[in-house]
């Protein structure tokens, strides 16, 4: 779409081919979009072209050579469903940033990815709204055995929750994660080869028998109490 790109200066110069964008769940007139910077529009549904402003600067790539270099696009954006000021941003190289004043003109960002692999991009960031303080889940790309991490302390520490070999996730990319709104310990992972489920917040995982077959799943979301899976192709 050409209209929003007239205000997002890096839309065609460094952003991911599939760039992340999200409506603020607390304000449908506000959209956040990830290029090299994080961009915000507070009038996305107004008549005419929306206006955009950068609210997070670019980040240098931390991956080793030969991947090393700039640009390092934003690959995931998440906004708390209860607080527009609480925003998470992930990058292609595994960097994750958090702010608690995301609606301000110039938010303050803290980097919280210590312990997250530097060789894989962040595919999704999910905030567990049922916990206090909020738990944060991050899913990663790459054919590796630790593609889901969870933090219970707002990113100070992270734990791999892909489970043990016998009851864990396969070594494939994880593209999304959904938390049951009724039972927060029930979580679902969208992977390269289908959906996996855990009823103990990631200690162990299983393959639901009534889910999609061996197919790449790009997105999961809840709609009227039903879990919806968006598959590749």
């Amino acid at each position: 779409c050409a209209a929003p790109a007239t205000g997002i200066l890096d839309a065609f110069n460094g952003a991911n081919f599939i760039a992340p964008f999200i409506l603020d769940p607390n304000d449908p007139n506000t959209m956040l979009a990830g290029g090299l910077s994080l961009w915000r529009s507070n009038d996305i549904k107004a008549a005419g072209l929306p206006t955009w402003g950068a609210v997070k600067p670019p980040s240098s790539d931390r991956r080793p050579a030969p991947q090393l270099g700039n640009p390092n696009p934003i690959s995931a954006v998440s906004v708390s469903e209860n607080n527009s000021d609480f925003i998470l941003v992930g990058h292609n190289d595994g960097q994750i940033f958090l702010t608690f004043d995301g609606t301000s003109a110039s938010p303050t960002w803290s980097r919280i990815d210590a312990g997250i692999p530097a060789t894989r991009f962040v595919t999704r960031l999910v905030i567990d709204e049922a916990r206090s303080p909020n738990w944060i889940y991050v899913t990663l790309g790459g054919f590796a055995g630790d593609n889901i991490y969870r933090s219970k302390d707002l990113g100070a520490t992270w734990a791999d929750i892909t489970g043990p070999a016998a009851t864990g996730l396969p070594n494939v990319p994880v593209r999304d994660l959904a938390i049951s709104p009724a039972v927060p310990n029930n979580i679902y992972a969208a992977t390269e080869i289908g959906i996996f489920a855990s009823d103990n917040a990631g200690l162990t995982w299983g393959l639901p028998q009534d889910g999609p077959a061996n197919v790449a799943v790009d997105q999961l979301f809840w709609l009227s109490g039903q879990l919806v899976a968006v598959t590749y192709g």
Side-chain angles (χ1 to χ4, degrees), residues 20 75-77 90-91 120-125 138-142 147 173-177 190 218:
S75 57
V77 181
H91 286 264
R120 276 164 273 160
F121 64 87
V122 177
T123 55
R124 198 78 70 193
L125 292 160
V138 56
T139 65
L140 304 170
N147 278 330
V174 179
R175 296 193 173 104
D176 200 359
L177 183 140
D218 282 343

Side-chain angles (χ1 to χ4, degrees), residues 124-158:
R124 198 78 70 193
L125 292 160
V126 179
I127 301 169
D128 187 343
E129 305 287 352
R131 319 286 184 170
S132 182
N134 298 119
W135 292 4
I136 300 170
Y137 291 88
V138 56
T139 65
L140 304 170
F143 290 88
D146 57 341
N147 278 330
I148 303 181
Y149 281 80
R150 180 182 63 217
S151 176
K152 297 182 178 181
D153 51 16
L154 298 173
T157 59
W158 295 89

Side-chain angles (χ1 to χ4, degrees), residues 27-31 40-46 50-53 103:
D27 180 2
N29 290 311
T30 296
M31 176 176 281
R40 180 177 65 208
S41 172
N42 293 321
D43 57 0
I44 197 67
K45 294 188 176 182
T51 55
W52 292 90
T103 61

